[in-house]
Amino acid sequence: MTHLSDIEIARAAKKLPIQEIGAKLGIPAEALLPYGHDKAKVQQSFIKGLADRPDGKLILVTAINPTPAGEGKTTTTVGLGDGLRRIGKNAAVCIREASLGPCFGMKGGAAGGGRAQVVPMEDMNLHFTGDFHAITAAHNLLAAMIDNHIYWGNELGIDERRVSWRRVMDMNDRALRDIVVGLGGVSNGFPRQTGFDITVASEVMAILCLARDLDDLQERLGNIIVAYRRDRSPIYARDLKADGAMTVLLKDAMQPNLVQTLEHTPAFVHGGPFANIAHGCNSVIATTTALKLADYVVTEAGFGADLGAEKFFDIKCRKAGLRPDAVVLVATVRALKMNGGVAREDLGSENVKAVAAGCANLGRHIENLKQFGVPVVVAINHFTTDTEAEIAEVKEHARRHGSEAYLCRHWAEGSAGIEELATRVAEIADSGRAQFAPLYPDEMGLFEKIETIAKRIYRAGEVIADKKIRDQLRAWEAAGYGNLPICMAKTQYSFSTDPNLRGAPTGHTVPIREVRLSAGAGFVVVICGEIMTMPGLPRHPAAEAIHLNEAGEIEGLF
Amino acid sequence: MTHLSDIEIARAAKKLPIQEIGAKLGIPAEALLPYGHDKAKVQQSFIKGLADRPDGKLILVTAINPTPAGEGKTTTTVGLGDGLRRIGKNAAVCIREASLGPCFGMKGGAAGGGRAQVVPMEDMNLHFTGDFHAITAAHNLLAAMIDNHIYWGNELGIDERRVSWRRVMDMNDRALRDIVVGLGGVSNGFPRQTGFDITVASEVMAILCLARDLDDLQERLGNIIVAYRRDRSPIYARDLKADGAMTVLLKDAMQPNLVQTLEHTPAFVHGGPFANIAHGCNSVIATTTALKLADYVVTEAGFGADLGAEKFFDIKCRKAGLRPDAVVLVATVRALKMNGGVAREDLGSENVKAVAAGCANLGRHIENLKQFGVPVVVAINHFTTDTEAEIAEVKEHARRHGSEAYLCRHWAEGSAGIEELATRVAEIADSGRAQFAPLYPDEMGLFEKIETIAKRIYRAGEVIADKKIRDQLRAWEAAGYGNLPICMAKTQYSFSTDPNLRGAPTGHTVPIREVRLSAGAGFVVVICGEIMTMPGLPRHPAAEAIHLNEAGEIEGLF
């Protein structure tokens, strides 16, 4: 057991030079573009040369519905990577990059925790290798080109009231949510109402994370719908000739970032799309590159399995042709107790009955994940307050749902605490048992796809949508977008659209509030509930306490 | 002679690994934070350890008033650095970083030209090492904290009508010049009118470029005036507790960037403040670091000598305690002809009389520079159309003004073409002839400082300013800002405030339109004429043609 904080552990870590981490995957030093001594990008040209190699095994880490008690999905992803290395496997980890802005609101998110972390932590929560800044620049170049086109005569006939492309900033700035631009007279353009989203909500982020290579990136950027004419016909980024310059701005950002875990396991940290209006996974290019270089690639998806894993399978795997070999479903006794109705302040005392009740949530996720044809193992991320009886209860439930659960102590012990799970996951991945298939075929109608997700994954009784929304979906089908997958945006806290409905509800109603077409990323976003795409700062932002101490270290960020 | 374009020459260059460039200055590899193989930041801790070393000689490259004919100031800075190395001197170059946004409007600016360039050119015109993105983030964090403070109750009593801190973006986006933020109801804050400037116009940029170290940086950031109360008392960034977090965001950006010239001379490329509302020089920390590591440091200042050199001396050298040893004044026969009244289309034919007339501008600059106690040498940046008689005329004029002129062919020949100038500049720098003193003492009144610059440098007859402006200057003096230097913002094309008045006008009037206090950077900006702090894109932005070619190279950027 350790009593050090995550940041203390991370700072005490002895990092290897990034070239040595690359060497573990057979990446020659000249194919690594270093950013300092502990970060690097893997060069595009090197990645191109890997095409003919066989792929390693792909392992997804997902979780039960999140609660304030914490599940430790990233911690388990990192720990499992370290555990696989410990038992002699050539493993790599793939996770998302963090957004800079929110770190100045609430405390910054670490990459994992305890003895299962990715480093350098400070860099990863600040500018890192500049990917998000590049996305911001590419997004805002397109925005500037739209208003500039209107300014110089509007040859394309853009309806200024129907410009859907907003601007982005990697900052929590509520004052920018809803703004009027172009004031001040003739030389500043035509006034119109618009706003800023946070960078991770940009469609450019989703595109970068789904693009197979630079050509595919440019193609998708060109496909972005930026506005409509008065006759409702769409105007694409390509029509503004913005796709080439955006690709140039994103050229470096498309190269996956390599860092390391505390135990020197290679970790790709690349891309970070929103998990609600986007698909919430690290980049396709990082995952496919890792699969060429490692025998086992451990990756994760955002939120709980109902949202994150479903999108991982139905969007990322479908689009990139990935075939996952195993799923690890992370649960904690504490989170299961909360799903079983226990209040946060009572989590410290044993309550096997509540664990059993909460396991309904666990069981539902196991059943769901099996629908995709991928074997599921449960990782019980250990807390010191867990009792033997509670752990036994979880294991029993997993068994009853045709799965198996392993207690994991990677947070406290690093790879030594997760050997059993790592061994079993490697066996399952090697067994060839997985028969992955997405939940629905491309050809299914858009509304039917939504119903399929809602009924088979959320176990809803019905999906309700007014005529306007159904008409919109039909119009997109007529325009050739019917083959796109669905990207659901709903609360992460419940299978239903009610965040307070924990456990395993059935027969509920899923109301669709809005649908959006991300024609560049290649999915239809279905919004069920309030989605905030530009956060605000709290009354006392973390920024007030963030500073450099006398040793030049960052204080207050974590 | 070469017939290759700048970008073709730059691409054909065989770059040395950046560690080898660092080694030329005695920087150990572990003190370099690489960004790829050809860029690096010099680590803060290494820089701290240099404090007790002696300083090298400091050489400023400036120019006559710019014309569309081109002077080649950066080209000469780079060429002179290479020339000094050629004659066996340990030399380094210090220049500014380029802004990304404008490259998507007009074609991007190269760093030098011909055989006298700094590489990698593409990176330097795009994200480079992320410094400008960090400045954007720090600037906008402060902006978000202002509106957030008002949102949560406005304890400091900010007058929402008097928030002077705007937001910034590294993009040419005229629609953002004048905007209303905080629309959309209660949860988005209080609507107010504001706008965006381009990042290089940020006071944070000027501060980063004037700060001696991280402590000084934080002190200056805290001093920024962001708004006023109803009683007109100022509110500082420090009052919002933003200075610590801004410093954290700028920690890496404060480390100077090292790259190389085509001839492998070490080049520090760091910082890039506007040359009108700011002082237009590369960072103090890059210059002071270079002076500890090289025997000769060649640097440049923005615009012509009347603006750029004056600010270099009176702001940068004064604040940083720098003592320049020599000045190189760049002129071309073509630009002198234009100063002598020749139209651009007639520059190809010999016209000794026009050269003689234009030399009035050259002579004035020589006289002015001598007022600062620094010896001046003229570099005639050679064009193939120059005739012997024209060159002889320039040399004679320089001699008559107590200076000396050398023909330089570094554009076509690299260091071989600038040996004579390099040898002479080294001699002068070594001679100890320089007796640098700024133009005016700190103690002089603000309006008197303005008059001193206008009369002694611009040779104006009078400075006119209405009562409001004079009162404002007096108010700042009363508030303790009277000891600050002046940062003049006027046209670069003339000694006067009329851009069409070439040559060496006298007795003109300098009207002050506006004064601004940059309390963090530490100067008073005096605006004479229109100053644009957010450019727009042209009818056909360069972005439309920018793309990656099949070899993955960037096309259309240059």
Side-chain angles (χ1 to χ4, degrees), chain A residues 253-302:
Chain A
M254 261 297 276
Q255 299 176 127
N257 306 301
L258 182 67
V259 288
Q260 62 193 290
T261 70
L262 294 176
E263 299 195 10
H264 314 306
T265 299
F268 292 93
V269 179
H270 195 220
F274 253 29
N276 46 41
I277 58 154
H279 61 293
C281 306
N282 73 280
S283 76
V284 162
I285 191 132
T287 304
T288 54
T289 302
L291 285 169
K292 296 295 182 192
L293 298 170
D295 296 328
Y296 300 86
V297 174
V298 187
T299 189
E300 62 166 342

Side-chain angles (χ1 to χ4, degrees), chain B residues 119-352:
Chain B
V119 283
M121 201 200 220
E122 289 97 331
D123 291 7
M124 286 193 297
N125 279 277
L126 292 171
H127 308 292
F128 199 33
T129 59
D131 294 341
F132 287 15
H133 292 317
I135 289 166
T136 304
H139 184 116
N140 291 337
L141 172 62
L142 178 55
M145 288 176 80
I146 296 166
D147 280 302
N148 190 60
H149 181 87
I150 297 170
Y151 178 85
W152 286 106
N154 198 7
E155 209 176 307
L156 289 168
I158 296 170
D159 183 343
E160 293 138 55
R161 304 162 307 172
R162 292 197 177 95
V163 177
S164 48
W165 195 250
R166 292 155 55 90
R167 288 169 176 82
V168 296
M169 188 186 279
D170 195 359
M171 196 57 69
N172 289 18
D173 193 346
R174 68 171 68 74
L176 294 180
R177 285 174 189 156
D178 194 344
I179 69 175
V180 170
V181 299
L183 297 171
V186 172
S187 62
N188 297 353
F190 296 84
R192 63 182 187 83
Q193 200 160 357
T194 179
F196 279 71
D197 297 317
I198 192 160
T199 298
V200 285
S202 167
E203 188 176 346
V204 176
M205 174 69 86
I207 288 172
L208 184 111
C209 290
L210 287 170
R212 285 184 308 273
D213 53 33
L214 285 169
D215 290 339
D216 189 31
L217 177 74
Q218 178 158 353
E219 175 72 21
R220 287 167 183 271
L221 292 169
N223 289 342
I224 294 171
I225 294 174
V226 298
Y228 296 86
R229 296 184 182 83
R230 289 182 82 102
D231 67 5
R232 309 288 174 96
S233 61
I235 289 160
Y236 299 92
R238 185 175 297 111
D239 299 329
L240 290 157
K241 303 194 184 89
D243 48 326
M246 291 172 78
T247 304
V248 165
L249 279 168
L250 295 169
K251 176 178 69 81
D252 295 338
M254 261 295 277
Q255 300 177 128
N257 306 301
L258 183 67
V259 288
Q260 63 193 287
T261 70
L262 294 176
E263 299 195 11
H264 314 308
T265 299
F268 291 94
V269 179
H270 194 219
F274 254 28
N276 46 40
I277 59 155
H279 61 293
C281 307
N282 75 278
S283 76
V284 163
I285 192 136
T287 305
T288 54
T289 302
L291 285 169
K292 296 295 182 192
L293 298 170
D295 297 327
Y296 300 86
V297 174
V298 187
T299 188
E300 62 167 344
F303 294 161
D306 54 327
L307 276 167
E310 189 270 315
K311 293 188 195 185
F312 173 80
F313 292 134
D314 280 326
I315 300 177
K316 182 174 175 178
C317 291
R318 179 197 302 264
K319 296 268 180 174
L322 297 171
R323 303 192 56 80
D325 297 284
V327 179
V328 173
L329 179 64
V330 181
T332 61
V333 167
R334 291 158 60 87
L336 288 169
K337 276 190 215 170
M338 285 198 84
N339 262 292
V342 174
R344 196 171 180 179
E345 51 275 21
D346 300 329
L347 289 176
S349 22
E350 186 180 79
N351 190 337
V352 179

Side-chain angles (χ1 to χ4, degrees), chain A residues 186-208:
Chain A
V186 172
S187 62
N188 297 352
F190 296 85
R192 64 182 186 83
Q193 200 159 358
T194 180
F196 278 72
D197 296 319
I198 192 161
T199 298
V200 285
S202 167
E203 189 177 348
V204 177
M205 174 69 86
I207 288 172
L208 183 111

